[in-house]
């Protein structure tokens, strides 16, 4: 169990200085996510243009993994359409849960999340933002839960 | 910890090294480090006498209770009912008819909510709880409120994490039908002045339920001294097995209550037209009970008394004070819950490090603490925090455990520097 694998520099940096933190007003859609296990809450705000994410911001309180994951996600999905976001999440999910998953180059900085798979109870921390983004895209304002 | 006030007489010292040898799990390592178990408020570990009592029962005695004329059934019944008597003595109840075996504190509270409160309460009636309660002493009363139209009131707490006694007293009125309060807060360790609260509630004609889950392992709890109407606790927090707990109820109240669940064992006669219910306490124990759990719980009570509750309480109090002093010296640590009277719970936050991250880093060091809202979300909301880390102490913890905790917190600071 190597803490350095979990708390890589990229993760610590994005926890300390989360990118795209705040809200978009007015937003085209937003969703709230909640992880009852640890009390993490976050809201993802989206502005959409021509079926793509034109702008994305998030705010909330959470652990380092959840904050950094959300921050990294906002950087990764800007300008992407829904299908691309979903495919990206599919790859992130494999990365978080499959022991032998090798991060492909297209994941960029998101690959820093691969250390989470050694800590199964923390997977939900990393995936909460993605569930929430998905909910925002799917049905506009809504609350999703990881439970 | 004492029931109502700190004890002045010095308690005999606990031989902690000998105690630790009774708990085989403490010999294991976690993540390559010796286990430092500081999560007994969630569930305490079991000593050998409890493990052996359960094993002995399972390997030599097991059969169903109250059912057979054969030797094993008689022996199992004797052991199960013997456990009930053991519990009665432990809490000094008047009669074994007042000792209902349940799954745990949660089931005990739900039984009272559904069998005592629900049939009796209606619009205009009030249930009073405190702002410190565990979800298990909130949600069952919200359900009764929604079922009956009665009102649920909450006595506020202060920044130290104590119930505001004046507010509590002023919220009592002839409309108050039920007061449901924790004996000790699981999230903060606050010891509530339950004796005073019970007496005040009784003066207004209210019935009182005490959630004793966190008090029972740390103090002598005497039903006749306390005078409450219901008292619920769990076996696994007092060194016994999971899945067994106790609801104490005053006999005249229990006798007047309808059964909660129907089934075998809780009846005398059944026809399709009419069923006659069994006597107390079996009226409330439908179905085959957790026989080995009850036997394990009785063994746990023997064990606790062999160490001496006062010795345990004094030991834990010293550890709590020591740990509090140590943590106060660490920059960025804030202790949440600074009541004048506290049991063996130390809840805290560390600036810049989320409790969940703290929990992971401490775990990598072999230190088990609870992190989260501790099933007391309203308490977290009051302090405007999402969660805390909570170290809790039991008879087997040492100053070395506290040192490991402190070292682990240093490690967390390092990771997040």
């Amino acid at each position: 169990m190597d803490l350095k694998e979990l708390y890589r520099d990229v993760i610590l940096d994005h926890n300390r200085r989360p990118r795209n933190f705040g809200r978009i007003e007015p937003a085209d859609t937003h969703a709230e996510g909640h992880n009852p296990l640890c009390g993490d809450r976050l809201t993802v705000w989206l502005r959409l243009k021509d079926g793509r994410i034109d702008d994305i911001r998030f705010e909330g309180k959470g652990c380092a993994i959840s904050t950094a994951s959300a921050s990294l996600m906002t950087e990764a999905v800007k300008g992407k359409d829904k299908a691309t976001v979903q495919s990206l999440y599919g790859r992130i999910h494999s990365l978080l849960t499959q022991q032998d998953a090798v991060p492909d180059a297209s994941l960029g900085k998101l690959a820093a999340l691969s250390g989470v798979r050694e800590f199964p109870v923390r997977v939900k921390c990393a995936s909460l933002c993605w569930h929430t983004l998905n909910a925002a895209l799917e049905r506009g304002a809504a609350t999703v839960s990881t439970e | 910890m004492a029931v109502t006030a700190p004890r002045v007489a010095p308690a005999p010292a606990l031989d902690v090294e000998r105690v630790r040898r009774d708990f085989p799990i403490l010999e294991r390592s976690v993540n390559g480090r010796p286990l430092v178990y500081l999560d007994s408020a969630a569930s305490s570990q079991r000593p050998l006498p409890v493990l052996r009592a359960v094993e002995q029962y399972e390997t030599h005695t097991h059969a169903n209770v109250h059912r057979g004329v054969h030797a094993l059934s008689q022996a199992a019944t004797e052991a199960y009912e013997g456990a009930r008597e053991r519990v009665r003595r432990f809490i000094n109840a008047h009669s074994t008819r007042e000792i209902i075996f349940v799954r745990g504190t949660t089931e005990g509270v739900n039984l009272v909510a559904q069998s005592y409160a629900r049939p009796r309460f209606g619009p205009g009636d009030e249930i009073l709880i405190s702002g410190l309660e565990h979800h298990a002493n909130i949600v069952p009363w919200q359900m009764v409120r929604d079922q009956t139209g009665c009102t649920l009131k909450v006595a506020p707490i202060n920044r130290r994490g104590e119930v505001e006694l004046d507010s509590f007293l002023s919220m009592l009125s002839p409309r108050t039908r039920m007061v449901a309060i924790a004996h000790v807060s699981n999230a903060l360790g606050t010891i509530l002045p339950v004796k005073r609260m019970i007496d005040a509630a009784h003066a207004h004609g209210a019935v009182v339920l005490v959630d004793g889950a966190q008090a029972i392992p740390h103090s002598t709890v005497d039903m006749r001294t306390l005078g409450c109407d219901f008292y619920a606790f769990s076996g696994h927090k007092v060194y016994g097995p999971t899945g067994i707990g106790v609801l104490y109820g005053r006999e005249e109240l229990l006798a007047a209550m309808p059964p909660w669940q129907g089934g075998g064992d809780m009846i005398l006669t059944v026809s399709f037209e009419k069923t006659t219910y069994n006597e107390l306490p079996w009226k409330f124990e439908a179905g085959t009970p957790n026989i080995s759990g009850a036997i394990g719980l009785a063994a746990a009570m023997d064990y606790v008394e062999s160490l001496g509750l006062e010795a345990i309480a004094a030991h834990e109090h010293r550890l709590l004070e020591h740990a509090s002093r140590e943590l106060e010296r660490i920059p960025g640590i804030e202790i949440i819950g600074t009541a004048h009277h506290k049991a063996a719970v130390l809840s805290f936050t560390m600036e810049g490090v989320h409790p969940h991250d703290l929990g992971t880093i401490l775990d990598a060091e072999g230190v088990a603490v609870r992190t989260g809202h501790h099933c007391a979300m309203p308490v977290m909301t009051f302090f405007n925090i999402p969660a805390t880390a909570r170290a809790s102490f039991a008879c087997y913890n040492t100053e070395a455990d506290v040192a490991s905790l402190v070292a682990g917190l240093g490690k967390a600071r390092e990771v997040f520097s």
Side-chain angles (χ1 to χ4, degrees), chain B residues 347-371:
Chain B
S347 228
F348 58 92
T349 57
M350 183 181 237
E351 197 185 355
V353 187
H354 190 279
H356 214 185
D357 295 309
L358 261 186
T360 294
I361 294 166
L362 290 171
D363 183 52
E365 301 290 307
V367 179
V369 297
R370 170 87 185 264
T371 58

Side-chain angles (χ1 to χ4, degrees), chain B residues 45-89:
Chain B
Q45 300 298 344
R46 297 103 173 86
L48 282 168
V50 170
L51 303 174
R52 284 182 186 138
V54 172
E55 188 188 19
Q56 171 73 16
Y57 167 75
E58 299 287 8
T59 49
H60 291 277
T61 315
H62 172 68
N64 212 331
V65 292
H66 308 140
R67 279 161 177 82
V69 294
H70 61 79
L72 290 186
S73 178
Q74 287 181 53
T77 303
E78 209 168 282
Y80 180 68
E81 293 303 326
R84 197 189 308 277
E85 165 57 20
R86 185 67 193 84
V87 172
R88 185 205 65 75
R89 272 192 290 130

Side-chain angles (χ1 to χ4, degrees), chain A residues 1 3 6-7 12 15-16 34-41 61-65 119 121-122 125, chain B residues 31 352 354 356-361 363-365 371-373 377 384-387 411 415-417:
Chain A
M1 197 169 176
L3 284 176
L6 182 64
Y7 296 113
L12 292 171
N15 175 51
R16 235 185 332 262
H34 181 211
N35 180 350
L37 180 71
C38 51
D40 287 354
R41 276 178 190 281
K61 276 184 181 172
C63 64
I65 304 305
F119 299 81
V121 295
R122 306 303 299 273
C125 307
Chain B
N31 295 320
H354 190 279
H356 214 185
D357 295 309
L358 261 186
T360 294
I361 294 166
D363 183 52
E365 301 290 307
T371 58
H373 51 61
M377 289 171 98
N384 194 28
I385 47 178
K411 178 91 182 181
V415 171
F416 279 85
S417 62

Side-chain angles (χ1 to χ4, degrees), chain B residues 143-200:
Chain B
M143 291 164 67
V144 169
R145 175 195 63 193
D146 296 345
Q147 288 157 343
T148 68
C150 73
T151 304
L152 179 61
K153 292 195 159 183
V154 185
I157 59 175
N158 62 28
R159 296 300 300 176
R160 288 193 300 275
E162 297 163 328
V163 176
E164 290 276 24
L165 197 59
D166 288 346
S167 302
F168 172 82
L169 296 174
S170 72
M171 291 170 87
L172 290 168
S173 80
R175 290 185 301 279
T176 314
R177 300 285 308 274
M178 169 69 68
V179 170
I181 45 171
H183 197 162
V184 171
S185 152
N186 74 303
L188 307 179
T190 312
I191 303 172
L192 281 75
V194 282
K195 175 68 181 154
R196 233 183 119 188
M197 296 166 91
I198 292 164
D199 290 347

Side-chain angles (χ1 to χ4, degrees), chain B residues 183-235:
Chain B
H183 197 162
V184 171
S185 152
N186 74 303
L188 307 179
T190 312
I191 303 172
L192 281 75
V194 282
K195 175 68 181 154
R196 233 183 119 188
M197 296 166 91
I198 292 164
D199 290 347
H202 281 169
H204 288 276
V207 157
V208 183
L209 174 137
V210 179
D211 164 1
Q214 296 295 336
I216 204 85
H218 310 296
S219 60
T220 305
V221 177
D222 184 318
M223 290 305 111
R224 297 186 213 189
T225 308
L226 216 48
C228 59
D229 302 285
F230 298 102
Y231 196 97
F233 63 92
S234 302

